[in-house]
Amino acid sequence: MGRTVFSTSPRVDVIVDLGNPFLNLTVDGFLKIGSVAVAKAAAEEAYFIAKRGSVSRHDFEKSLKKMCREGAYWGTVAGLYVGMEYGVERVRGVRDWKNAMIGGALTGAIVSAASNQSKDKIVLNAITGSAVATAAEFINHFT
Amino acid sequence: MGRTVFSTSPRVDVIVDLGNPFLNLTVDGFLKIGSVAVAKAAAEEAYFIAKRGSVSRHDFEKSLKKMCREGAYWGTVAGLYVGMEYGVERVRGVRDWKNAMIGGALTGAIVSAASNQSKDKIVLNAITGSAVATAAEFINHFT
């Protein structure tokens, strides 16, 4: 905990230590989940290119932009969530699935508030974020 | 592993043992994530009822139906994913984040194939499922 170690089979480790566990976790989440999103966008583009059978300079630029956009978005949401979960853990003093539930709700609310959505949408996104985070926590920790 | 133990603060344990780890995990995922989705739908309905200030018999029936539908859908997807991840783990013989990646891709493909979507949509959902499962795995295991 506290240092970003992202590793794939041919070992590539990115280690960032900012000396503060909250910041470290957030940067950690941003880098790891950002990489996942970049890979996702790249896989989608690769599928369309393979289907079309050709690739132009314009397509390439568009793909690159999409990868950056998706990577930054997923990274931000994940960093926020990891930071929130850690904050909730510190405030509550325990480590269980309720941290994921509260962290998910806060993340959902903040992300939709930041993107200027209506009050209804913020509440619904908070509920959805909470449910998704709880579900992910259950799947990964209870089985 | 292998038995469904779903616990909340006032302890409520549901234990189902079908004698087969694959089936147990799937049922386990279905029950746990189904419960999360039912709670999510209930929270959404509660928000709308609180906002409107009144509740009719018709609304109540609609809410109940929505809870069942969402619970069954999330439960099915989660059960499928947990089963797939376990299957991939057995076939590969190792337990790492790549199981989540492959399991997520299979789940995304199967769910969209089952709902009669186009071939493009199946591939894209497989990629998205894979990315979401990998991201959830990273968030829960590497921090």
Side-chain angles (χ1 to χ4, degrees):
Chain A
M1 193 159 112
R3 287 188 311 163
T4 295
V5 182
F6 177 68
S7 56
T8 47
S9 301
R11 256 188 118 66
V12 182
D13 284 0
V14 183
I15 300 186
V16 181
D17 195 334
L18 299 171
N20 172 315
F22 182 84
L23 275 181
N24 279 344
L25 276 175
T26 303
V27 170
D28 191 47
F30 181 86
L31 289 177
K32 266 183 219 143
I33 309 306
S35 320
V36 171
V38 169
K40 168 183 169 284
E44 283 175 1
E45 295 303 315
Y47 170 69
F48 282 119
I49 289 168
K51 210 182 133 201
R52 233 184 359 248
S54 71
V55 53
S56 71
R57 208 184 110 80
H58 177 71
D59 290 336
F60 184 72
E61 268 173 26
K62 230 179 57 186
S63 304
L64 211 62
K65 267 191 200 144
K66 198 182 150 205
M67 279 159 68
C68 291
R69 209 173 44 230
E70 291 219 356
Y73 183 74
W74 283 44
T76 309
V77 173
L80 193 61
Y81 169 71
V82 171
M84 285 293 149
E85 204 197 356
Y86 177 77
V88 172
E89 191 187 316
R90 289 299 295 271
V91 171
R92 291 184 63 227
V94 285
R95 202 188 169 110
D96 61 11
W97 62 271
K98 277 168 218 147
N99 293 344
M101 192 179 74
I102 302 168
L106 290 172
T107 309
I110 293 172
V111 169
S112 38
S115 47
N116 279 325
Q117 289 175 323
S118 71
K119 200 190 131 215
D120 276 7
K121 205 87 183 108
I122 293 174
V123 173
L124 292 183
N125 283 346
I127 294 172
T128 306
S130 173
V132 170
T134 311
E137 180 85 9
F138 277 0
I139 284 187
N140 279 302
H141 283 284
F142 286 64
T143 54
Chain B
M1 191 158 113
R3 286 189 311 166
T4 294
V5 181
F6 178 69
S7 56
T8 47
S9 301
R11 258 189 116 68
V12 182
D13 285 359
V14 183
I15 299 185
V16 182
D17 196 335
L18 300 171
N20 173 314
F22 182 85
L23 276 181
N24 278 344
L25 275 176
T26 303
V27 170
D28 192 45
F30 181 86
L31 289 176
K32 266 182 217 146
I33 310 305
S35 321
V36 172
V38 168
K40 169 182 169 286
E44 283 175 1
E45 295 304 315
Y47 170 68
F48 282 120
I49 288 169
K51 210 182 132 199
R52 234 185 358 250
S54 70
V55 53
S56 69
R57 209 184 110 81
H58 176 71
D59 290 336
F60 184 72
E61 268 174 25
K62 230 179 58 186
S63 304
L64 211 62
K65 267 190 201 146
K66 199 183 150 205
M67 279 159 67
C68 291
R69 208 173 45 228
E70 291 220 357
Y73 182 73
W74 283 45
T76 309
V77 173
L80 194 60
Y81 169 71
V82 171
M84 285 294 148
E85 205 198 356
Y86 177 76
V88 171
E89 189 186 317
R90 290 298 295 270
V91 170
R92 292 184 63 228
V94 284
R95 201 187 170 109
D96 61 11
W97 62 271
K98 278 168 217 148
N99 293 345
M101 192 179 73
I102 303 168
L106 290 172
T107 308
I110 293 172
V111 170
S112 38
S115 47
N116 279 325
Q117 290 176 323
S118 73
K119 202 190 127 217
D120 275 8
K121 205 89 183 108
I122 292 175
V123 174
L124 292 183
N125 282 347
I127 293 172
T128 306
S130 172
V132 170
T134 311
E137 182 84 8
F138 277 0
I139 284 188
N140 279 302
H141 283 285
F142 286 63
T143 57

Short mmCIF file of all heavy atoms in Angstrom, two decimals, chain B residues 41-66:
data_model
loop_
_atom_site.label_atom_id
_atom_site.label_comp_id
_atom_site.label_asym_id
_atom_site.label_seq_id
_atom_site.Cartn_x
_atom_site.Cartn_y
_atom_site.Cartn_z
N ALA B 41 -32.11 -0.42 -6.38
CA ALA B 41 -33.41 -0.05 -6.92
C ALA B 41 -34.30 0.51 -5.82
O ALA B 41 -35.01 1.51 -6.02
CB ALA B 41 -34.06 -1.25 -7.60
N ALA B 42 -34.24 -0.09 -4.63
CA ALA B 42 -35.06 0.37 -3.51
C ALA B 42 -34.66 1.79 -3.11
O ALA B 42 -35.52 2.64 -2.86
CB ALA B 42 -34.90 -0.57 -2.32
N ALA B 43 -33.34 2.06 -3.10
CA ALA B 43 -32.87 3.40 -2.73
C ALA B 43 -33.34 4.43 -3.75
O ALA B 43 -33.76 5.54 -3.39
CB ALA B 43 -31.35 3.40 -2.62
N GLU B 44 -33.28 4.05 -5.03
CA GLU B 44 -33.73 4.98 -6.08
C GLU B 44 -35.21 5.31 -5.93
O GLU B 44 -35.62 6.47 -5.99
CB GLU B 44 -33.48 4.38 -7.46
CG GLU B 44 -32.02 4.48 -7.87
CD GLU B 44 -31.75 3.76 -9.19
OE1 GLU B 44 -32.72 3.22 -9.78
OE2 GLU B 44 -30.60 3.73 -9.61
N GLU B 45 -36.00 4.25 -5.70
CA GLU B 45 -37.44 4.46 -5.54
C GLU B 45 -37.72 5.32 -4.31
O GLU B 45 -38.55 6.22 -4.34
CB GLU B 45 -38.16 3.11 -5.41
CG GLU B 45 -38.08 2.25 -6.67
CD GLU B 45 -38.62 2.96 -7.90
OE1 GLU B 45 -39.68 3.58 -7.82
OE2 GLU B 45 -37.94 2.89 -8.95
N ALA B 46 -36.97 5.03 -3.23
CA ALA B 46 -37.18 5.79 -1.98
C ALA B 46 -36.90 7.27 -2.22
O ALA B 46 -37.62 8.14 -1.71
CB ALA B 46 -36.27 5.25 -0.89
N TYR B 47 -35.87 7.56 -3.03
CA TYR B 47 -35.54 8.95 -3.32
C TYR B 47 -36.70 9.64 -4.04
O TYR B 47 -37.12 10.73 -3.68
CB TYR B 47 -34.27 9.04 -4.14
CG TYR B 47 -34.00 10.43 -4.67
CD1 TYR B 47 -33.66 11.47 -3.80
CD2 TYR B 47 -34.10 10.71 -6.03
CE1 TYR B 47 -33.43 12.75 -4.28
CE2 TYR B 47 -33.88 11.98 -6.51
CZ TYR B 47 -33.54 12.99 -5.63
OH TYR B 47 -33.32 14.26 -6.10
N PHE B 48 -37.26 8.95 -5.05
CA PHE B 48 -38.35 9.57 -5.82
C PHE B 48 -39.60 9.74 -4.97
O PHE B 48 -40.32 10.73 -5.09
CB PHE B 48 -38.64 8.74 -7.08
CG PHE B 48 -37.63 8.98 -8.15
CD1 PHE B 48 -36.85 7.95 -8.65
CD2 PHE B 48 -37.44 10.27 -8.66
CE1 PHE B 48 -35.90 8.19 -9.64
CE2 PHE B 48 -36.49 10.50 -9.65
CZ PHE B 48 -35.73 9.46 -10.14
N ILE B 49 -39.85 8.75 -4.09
CA ILE B 49 -41.03 8.84 -3.23
C ILE B 49 -40.86 10.00 -2.25
O ILE B 49 -41.77 10.81 -2.05
CB ILE B 49 -41.25 7.50 -2.48
CG1 ILE B 49 -41.74 6.44 -3.48
CG2 ILE B 49 -42.25 7.66 -1.34
CD1 ILE B 49 -41.75 5.04 -2.95
N ALA B 50 -39.65 10.13 -1.68
CA ALA B 50 -39.39 11.21 -0.74
C ALA B 50 -39.54 12.56 -1.44
O ALA B 50 -40.01 13.54 -0.85
CB ALA B 50 -37.99 11.07 -0.15
N LYS B 51 -39.14 12.61 -2.71
CA LYS B 51 -39.21 13.86 -3.46
C LYS B 51 -40.66 14.24 -3.76
O LYS B 51 -41.05 15.40 -3.65
CB LYS B 51 -38.46 13.66 -4.78
CG LYS B 51 -37.82 14.93 -5.31
CD LYS B 51 -37.15 14.65 -6.62
CE LYS B 51 -37.53 15.69 -7.63
NZ LYS B 51 -37.29 15.23 -9.00
N ARG B 52 -41.47 13.22 -4.12
CA ARG B 52 -42.86 13.48 -4.48
C ARG B 52 -43.72 13.66 -3.23
O ARG B 52 -44.74 14.35 -3.27
CB ARG B 52 -43.38 12.32 -5.31
CG ARG B 52 -43.97 12.74 -6.61
CD ARG B 52 -44.59 11.61 -7.39
NE ARG B 52 -44.46 10.33 -6.78
CZ ARG B 52 -43.68 9.35 -7.24
NH1 ARG B 52 -42.95 9.53 -8.30
NH2 ARG B 52 -43.63 8.20 -6.63
N GLY B 53 -43.32 13.01 -2.15
CA GLY B 53 -44.05 13.17 -0.90
C GLY B 53 -45.24 12.25 -0.73
O GLY B 53 -45.91 12.27 0.29
N SER B 54 -45.54 11.43 -1.75
CA SER B 54 -46.67 10.51 -1.60
C SER B 54 -46.37 9.22 -2.37
O SER B 54 -45.52 9.20 -3.25
CB SER B 54 -47.94 11.13 -2.17
OG SER B 54 -47.83 11.20 -3.58
N VAL B 55 -47.09 8.16 -2.03
CA VAL B 55 -46.86 6.90 -2.74
C VAL B 55 -48.21 6.22 -2.99
O VAL B 55 -49.05 6.12 -2.10
CB VAL B 55 -45.90 5.98 -1.93
CG1 VAL B 55 -46.37 5.77 -0.50
CG2 VAL B 55 -45.70 4.67 -2.64
N SER B 56 -48.43 5.84 -4.24
CA SER B 56 -49.69 5.17 -4.57
C SER B 56 -49.45 3.67 -4.71
O SER B 56 -48.32 3.21 -4.78
CB SER B 56 -50.24 5.73 -5.88
OG SER B 56 -49.41 5.31 -6.94
N ARG B 57 -50.55 2.91 -4.76
CA ARG B 57 -50.45 1.46 -4.92
C ARG B 57 -49.74 1.11 -6.23
O ARG B 57 -48.93 0.21 -6.29
CB ARG B 57 -51.86 0.88 -4.94
CG ARG B 57 -51.97 -0.53 -4.42
CD ARG B 57 -53.39 -1.04 -4.57
NE ARG B 57 -53.42 -2.08 -5.60
CZ ARG B 57 -53.07 -3.34 -5.38
NH1 ARG B 57 -52.69 -3.72 -4.19
NH2 ARG B 57 -53.10 -4.23 -6.35
N HIS B 58 -50.04 1.89 -7.25
CA HIS B 58 -49.46 1.66 -8.57
C HIS B 58 -47.93 1.81 -8.52
O HIS B 58 -47.19 0.98 -9.04
CB HIS B 58 -50.06 2.63 -9.58
CG HIS B 58 -49.46 2.52 -10.94
ND1 HIS B 58 -49.70 1.43 -11.76
CD2 HIS B 58 -48.62 3.33 -11.61
CE1 HIS B 58 -49.02 1.60 -12.88
NE2 HIS B 58 -48.36 2.73 -12.82
N ASP B 59 -47.48 2.91 -7.89
CA ASP B 59 -46.04 3.14 -7.77
C ASP B 59 -45.36 1.99 -7.06
O ASP B 59 -44.28 1.55 -7.44
CB ASP B 59 -45.76 4.41 -6.94
CG ASP B 59 -46.17 5.66 -7.68
OD1 ASP B 59 -46.21 5.60 -8.93
OD2 ASP B 59 -46.46 6.66 -7.03
N PHE B 60 -46.02 1.52 -6.00
CA PHE B 60 -45.43 0.47 -5.20
C PHE B 60 -45.22 -0.79 -6.02
O PHE B 60 -44.16 -1.42 -5.97
CB PHE B 60 -46.33 0.18 -4.00
CG PHE B 60 -45.77 -0.82 -3.07
CD1 PHE B 60 -44.68 -0.49 -2.26
CD2 PHE B 60 -46.28 -2.10 -3.01
CE1 PHE B 60 -44.13 -1.43 -1.41
CE2 PHE B 60 -45.73 -3.04 -2.16
CZ PHE B 60 -44.66 -2.71 -1.35
N GLU B 61 -46.23 -1.13 -6.82
CA GLU B 61 -46.10 -2.32 -7.67
C GLU B 61 -44.97 -2.16 -8.68
O GLU B 61 -44.20 -3.07 -8.91
CB GLU B 61 -47.41 -2.57 -8.41
CG GLU B 61 -48.33 -3.51 -7.65
CD GLU B 61 -49.67 -3.63 -8.33
OE1 GLU B 61 -49.76 -3.39 -9.55
OE2 GLU B 61 -50.65 -3.94 -7.62
N LYS B 62 -44.90 -0.96 -9.26
CA LYS B 62 -43.86 -0.69 -10.25
C LYS B 62 -42.47 -0.79 -9.62
O LYS B 62 -41.55 -1.37 -10.20
CB LYS B 62 -44.05 0.72 -10.84
CG LYS B 62 -44.04 0.75 -12.36
CD LYS B 62 -44.26 2.15 -12.89
CE LYS B 62 -43.24 3.14 -12.40
NZ LYS B 62 -43.51 4.54 -12.81
N SER B 63 -42.34 -0.24 -8.40
CA SER B 63 -41.06 -0.29 -7.70
C SER B 63 -40.65 -1.73 -7.43
O SER B 63 -39.50 -2.12 -7.63
CB SER B 63 -41.15 0.44 -6.36
OG SER B 63 -41.59 1.75 -6.55
N LEU B 64 -41.61 -2.52 -7.00
CA LEU B 64 -41.31 -3.92 -6.65
C LEU B 64 -40.84 -4.67 -7.89
O LEU B 64 -39.87 -5.42 -7.84
CB LEU B 64 -42.57 -4.57 -6.09
CG LEU B 64 -42.33 -5.65 -5.05
CD1 LEU B 64 -41.64 -5.06 -3.85
CD2 LEU B 64 -43.65 -6.27 -4.63
N LYS B 65 -41.52 -4.41 -9.02
CA LYS B 65 -41.14 -5.07 -10.27
C LYS B 65 -39.73 -4.66 -10.68
O LYS B 65 -38.94 -5.49 -11.12
CB LYS B 65 -42.13 -4.70 -11.38
CG LYS B 65 -43.25 -5.71 -11.50
CD LYS B 65 -44.07 -5.46 -12.75
CE LYS B 65 -45.44 -6.10 -12.60
NZ LYS B 65 -46.49 -5.36 -13.25
N LYS B 66 -39.44 -3.37 -10.52
CA LYS B 66 -38.12 -2.87 -10.90
C LYS B 66 -37.03 -3.52 -10.04
O LYS B 66 -35.96 -3.89 -10.53
CB LYS B 66 -38.08 -1.34 -10.75
CG LYS B 66 -36.95 -0.70 -11.52
CD LYS B 66 -36.91 0.81 -11.29
CE LYS B 66 -35.49 1.30 -11.41
NZ LYS B 66 -35.28 2.55 -10.65
#
